[in-house]
Amino acid sequence: VEVMGQGPDVILIPGFASSREVWRPLAGRLSTTHRVHLVQLAGFAGEAWTHGDGPFVQPAVDELARYAATLNRPAVIGHSMGGLSGLLLAQQHPEAVGRVMSVDSLPFFSAMFGPQVTPQTAQPFADQAAEGILNTDDVGFRVQQERTAVGMMRNEAGRGAMIDWSMASDRRAMASAIREVMTTDARPGLAAMTMSVWAVYASDADGGAPAAMADALWTREYAALPGVALKRVDDARHFIMIDQPERLDELIHA
């Protein structure tokens, strides 16, 4: 964790295979009024991974809980897999967290494949995704990441960094993480949550998720969470902080 600034505590969690640098511009702005904690998850973007093919998500949530408990009920902002981690952290340790913002993150990732999908039916696809990460050579893997990056952000300049972070990530860490993210369902814990949760999500009429589709998916998947604030950001793909940084800043400030 890198700490910047002084004031109320804010923890920023990056997403799958991402560097904390994804949050750097926001952190610089936030740190003028807040104490910002930039998390780097082990195994991603060149950070060493020493856990073999062991579990990824719950150990990270446990460590985040231990760290958050040393602070004054921080706000937690997580992107993608980091948003799922933030929800799990808040569900398991509500006393340690002040509020949560998930950025383009569903409580059950595989729900985007349809309302009938369960963790059990998603398991074969999760295993397949993990095997694909582990068994693809570097040239093929880079080609995959280049294709993926186009769907992840409109900003062409930002795509190169995402590809570099993926290529610098430990494949075992990525495989464990994707397998768990695709089969972890945080929806059963939503109804009991009492803290403020904002779910920010992207829509893009030109190559991303159409607004109506995004609205329907986020409304359905967060339906059990009392008082959730759903905030759509248009003209953005998955990396909202790169495609629409000013709009995301406004929402975080609010």
Side-chain angles (χ1 to χ4, degrees), residues 130-141:
E131 289 303 312
I133 289 169
L134 290 170
N135 296 327
T136 304
D137 64 41
D138 283 352
V139 174
F141 192 66

Side-chain angles (χ1 to χ4, degrees), residues 38-229:
L38 277 163
V39 170
Q40 181 60 56
L41 295 169
F44 290 165
E47 187 73 21
W49 175 254
T50 58
H51 309 291
D53 58 1
F56 191 110
V57 175
Q58 189 57 50
V61 171
D62 293 342
E63 276 295 285
L64 285 163
R66 182 192 61 75
Y67 186 78
T70 68
L71 309 176
N72 183 24
R73 299 203 65 199
V76 176
I77 302 172
H79 174 239
S80 190
M81 174 182 158
L84 174 64
S85 299
L87 281 178
L88 293 170
L89 171 63
Q91 289 179 0
Q92 296 171 17
H93 302 275
E95 74 291 341
V97 178
R99 62 189 62 198
V100 174
M101 178 183 282
S102 70
V103 179
D104 217 48
S105 179
L106 292 168
F108 177 45
F109 171 87
S110 293
M112 68 175 62
F113 303 120
Q116 77 288 351
V117 179
T118 67
Q120 291 72 34
T121 61
Q123 187 69 59
F125 301 99
D127 292 338
Q128 187 178 11
E131 289 303 312
I133 289 169
L134 290 170
N135 296 327
T136 304
D137 64 41
D138 283 352
V139 174
F141 192 66
R142 177 174 282 278
V143 171
Q144 283 180 6
Q145 297 308 306
E146 289 170 350
R147 287 184 189 140
T148 300
V150 174
M152 290 286 179
M153 64 185 86
R154 292 166 57 103
N155 184 309
E156 291 184 22
R159 293 174 191 164
M162 190 203 115
I163 294 162
D164 289 344
W165 297 336
S166 294
M167 296 306 295
S169 294
D170 190 300
R171 299 273 197 100
R172 295 167 303 167
M174 292 177 75
S176 290
I178 201 68
R179 189 182 281 118
E180 290 169 60
V181 166
M182 290 180 69
T183 57
T184 297
D185 190 352
R187 293 175 301 184
L190 293 178
M193 295 179 71
T194 56
M195 72 183 62
S196 172
V197 178
W198 285 30
V200 179
Y201 60 101
S203 88
D204 177 29
D206 181 24
M213 182 189 296
D215 288 346
L217 179 57
W218 255 258
T219 300
R220 184 186 82 208
E221 294 305 308
Y222 278 97
L225 180 56
V228 64

